[in-house]
Amino acid sequence: MAAVSDPVDLGAAWRSARPEPCPTRFHQVHGANIRVDLSGTRATRVESFAHGVCFSREPLAPGQVFLVEIEEKELGWCGHLRLGLTALDPATLASVPEFSLPDLVSLGHTWVFAITRHHNRVPREDRPEAEALAPSRPPALLVEPYLCIEQFRIPRDRLVGRSRPGLYSHLLDQLYELNVLPPTARRSRVGVLFCPRPDGTADMHIIINGEDMGPSARGLPAAQPLYAVVDVFASTKSVRLVQLEYGLPSLQTLCRLVIQRSVVHRLAIDGLHLPKGLKDFCKYE
């Protein structure tokens, strides 16, 4: 556990700074069984196991992660969250399909996968297929502050799910950091992004708890607007959006990192002489 005196590497944050994309929100167009809250950041399927397709409100910027945390699960259904991208404008759909797979995909210009740890990873032409199937986990998963995906460096801190605050949360959090829990476990964080390539196409990547699963699809039209697709399907009942900081970290974030590194577990934050709002931010974010 890091001590209070451990420095926060502002130099690395400065070097990785890039323009901040717009905050992610869910589109007002969604499946019939979905209810989106007033903030546009939480989507819940209120009945059945289908009609749970959601979209991002705006097209994603290159390298922007549409990141969701699984908030609620529902027993009795077979299947989990599905995630991907589409070049279809949700506002132009005559109706939202019942399922993302295969219904939405069959409309064309859509790439969606069920969330598992073994995706249909697409090998590069210059790499053997066995390498493409190998785990992409970096050796410094617990200490490297950035996730590097092709030309993008993404702060890893908020990509990783966290357990509820408790006496053993510091131990449970490590299970998310090591990515050994099922990828669709409650409070896991799953995201999608695209990375443009020199030939005008793009690769789609899926991230599970801070780990890049590798390219799931290639040849996406990088010049066209690409919307995120989230299918709140079957045992996944509710998801919420998690916002990332791509430029310089905020003072609030830097304070949170220092405080979290200075306590044994998050319940100890209650004993610090800090404003309640900052305590809650440090405990739950």
Side-chain angles (χ1 to χ4, degrees):
M1 194 66 61
V4 180
S5 58
D6 287 352
V8 176
D9 188 359
L10 290 176
W14 179 268
R15 290 190 297 272
S16 66
R18 58 186 169 106
E20 198 78 18
C22 295
T24 53
R25 296 288 186 270
F26 286 113
H27 204 287
Q28 62 269 25
V29 174
H30 49 69
N33 289 335
I34 286 291
R35 300 295 180 267
V36 176
D37 73 347
L38 293 177
S39 70
T41 62
R42 181 175 280 102
T44 303
R45 194 186 69 252
V46 295
E47 61 180 284
S48 183
F49 64 95
H51 289 290
V53 177
C54 306
F55 305 93
S56 60
R57 182 179 297 177
E58 304 290 341
L60 299 186
Q64 181 182 15
V65 182
F66 195 81
L67 183 68
V68 298
E69 179 177 285
I70 298 174
E71 283 209 318
E72 294 183 51
K73 304 290 291 286
E74 186 172 49
L75 299 177
W77 303 114
C78 181
H80 302 279
L81 184 75
R82 295 163 173 184
L83 188 66
L85 296 170
T86 182
L88 303 174
D89 184 344
T92 65
L93 294 175
S95 62
V96 178
E98 182 177 8
F99 303 104
S100 59
L101 285 171
D103 300 1
L104 183 64
V105 171
S106 67
L107 298 179
H109 303 289
T110 302
W111 305 263
V112 175
F113 292 88
I115 296 301
T116 69
R117 194 160 279 119
H118 305 285
H119 290 280
N120 297 336
R121 299 163 65 88
V122 183
R124 295 185 185 277
E125 292 80 357
D126 56 345
R127 295 183 184 178
E129 185 174 355
E131 180 181 345
L133 295 174
S136 61
R137 187 196 312 271
L141 182 64
L142 296 179
V143 296
E144 171 57 49
Y146 295 96
L147 175 65
C148 296
I149 303 179
E150 300 192 17
Q151 68 268 47
F152 298 105
R153 296 178 73 215
I154 305 163
R156 189 189 299 275
D157 174 51
R158 305 202 71 190
L159 293 174
V160 182
R162 307 179 73 210
S163 64
R164 294 186 181 278
L167 191 60
Y168 301 104
S169 58
H170 61 296
L171 300 176
L172 296 173
D173 287 348
Q174 292 182 18
L175 301 180
Y176 291 97
E177 293 169 354
L178 292 169
N179 205 10
V180 296
L181 293 173
T184 54
R186 184 178 284 115
R187 300 182 74 85
S188 279
R189 294 183 178 182
V190 186
V192 64
L193 73 157
F194 72 92
C195 302
R197 296 180 57 80
D199 62 0
T201 65
D203 295 345
M204 183 180 82
H205 288 250
I206 289 176
I207 301 171
I208 299 176
N209 286 319
E211 182 180 354
D212 174 27
M213 296 291 104
S216 296
R218 295 191 185 279
L220 280 68
Q224 296 184 31
L226 293 172
Y227 295 82
V229 179
V230 179
D231 192 350
V232 187
F233 175 69
S235 64
T236 302
K237 182 175 179 63
S238 180
V239 297
R240 75 173 180 96
L241 289 171
V242 179
Q243 307 301 327
L244 301 180
E245 295 177 332
Y246 297 89
L248 292 175
S250 65
L251 179 60
Q252 188 180 43
T253 293
L254 293 175
C255 289
R256 175 173 61 82
L257 293 175
V258 171
I259 292 168
Q260 289 174 347
R261 292 173 183 175
S262 306
V263 296
V264 175
H265 54 75
R266 279 180 277 151
L267 286 184
I269 294 174
D270 288 331
L272 301 178
H273 296 290
L274 297 170
K276 183 180 183 303
L278 182 57
K279 288 182 183 181
D280 290 344
F281 182 68
C282 294
K283 285 170 60 178
Y284 297 105
E285 292 298 325

